[in-house]
Amino acid sequence: MTVHVQGVTMDPILQEILAVGRRLEGMDNAMAFLMAEVKSMRLEIAGFQLRVLGLEQRVLTVETHINSFTDGDQKRIYLRSKLIDLEDRSRRDNVRFLGLPETIEGTDIHSYLRETLPKLTVLTFDPPLEFQRVHRLGSKRWEDANRPAPL
């Protein structure tokens, strides 16, 4: 059905209006999706706010507890941590290597020892060697290369 108003055919105009209506429906759907996403984000933010408030309360409780310590309490805490550290050190199986040049291990001292020790000792290690800590003792001795620091 073709409609004429004052000599103008209305079909193309109606088609444009229908196309605009369909685009508006698509925008309406997209807007509903965005609103749902915003609502979801608001709920997540509210949950995070509750968690932060709980953490703030816990920190405040710990700070209050720490501030109530006397100097004697703080000294006992320090001495206890020092005792635990010393006990831990005494349980280690320490091995020292002497005579290895200062820079022979490169940047990865663990890998160097894991690869070199089986070659030097002509032993196989199963399971492979494990090291808790590996470090040079003392400071680097650049001026005296004849006496490298123990490893």
Side-chain angles (χ1 to χ4, degrees):
M1 168 171 128
T2 303
V3 178
H4 294 283
V5 176
Q6 297 178 353
V8 177
T9 304
M10 299 301 287
D11 284 343
I13 296 171
L14 289 173
Q15 294 299 324
E16 283 296 319
I17 290 172
L18 289 173
V20 168
R22 283 191 293 274
R23 282 184 278 190
L24 287 175
E25 284 177 9
M27 287 182 194
D28 198 30
N29 292 339
M31 186 63 86
F33 174 76
L34 289 174
M35 293 299 289
E37 286 291 314
V38 167
K39 185 176 182 180
S40 171
M41 288 179 187
R42 281 184 184 163
L43 291 173
E44 278 187 65
I45 290 170
F48 290 141
Q49 286 174 331
L50 288 174
R51 289 178 65 188
V52 167
L53 288 174
L55 291 172
E56 285 176 346
Q57 184 60 41
R58 289 175 61 188
V59 167
L60 182 62
T61 303
V62 169
E63 285 175 344
T64 304
H65 185 68
I66 288 173
N67 290 336
S68 70
F69 289 161
T70 63
D71 287 339
D73 292 333
Q74 290 178 356
K75 186 165 186 155
R76 278 190 291 282
I77 291 169
Y78 171 75
L79 291 174
R80 181 172 170 79
S81 69
K82 190 102 165 132
L83 175 68
I84 289 169
D85 181 54
L86 289 172
E87 286 176 345
D88 179 44
R89 287 176 191 262
S90 70
R91 283 189 291 259
R92 291 188 193 138
D93 296 323
N94 293 323
V95 177
R96 289 183 184 206
F97 297 100
L98 305 173
L100 295 173
E102 291 273 339
T103 57
I104 196 168
E105 68 272 6
T107 58
D108 188 6
I109 200 165
H110 285 93
S111 295
Y112 172 77
L113 286 178
R114 207 174 291 116
E115 293 169 9
T116 306
L117 284 179
K119 294 175 188 174
L120 293 175
T121 60
V122 193
L123 297 173
T124 57
F125 296 95
D126 189 32
L129 291 173
E130 279 187 41
F131 304 101
Q132 288 177 340
R133 294 182 181 165
V134 181
H135 56 89
R136 292 274 181 182
L137 298 177
S139 60
K140 287 191 176 188
R141 298 180 184 159
W142 297 105
E143 67 279 352
D144 188 6
N146 295 331
R147 276 190 52 220
L151 183 68

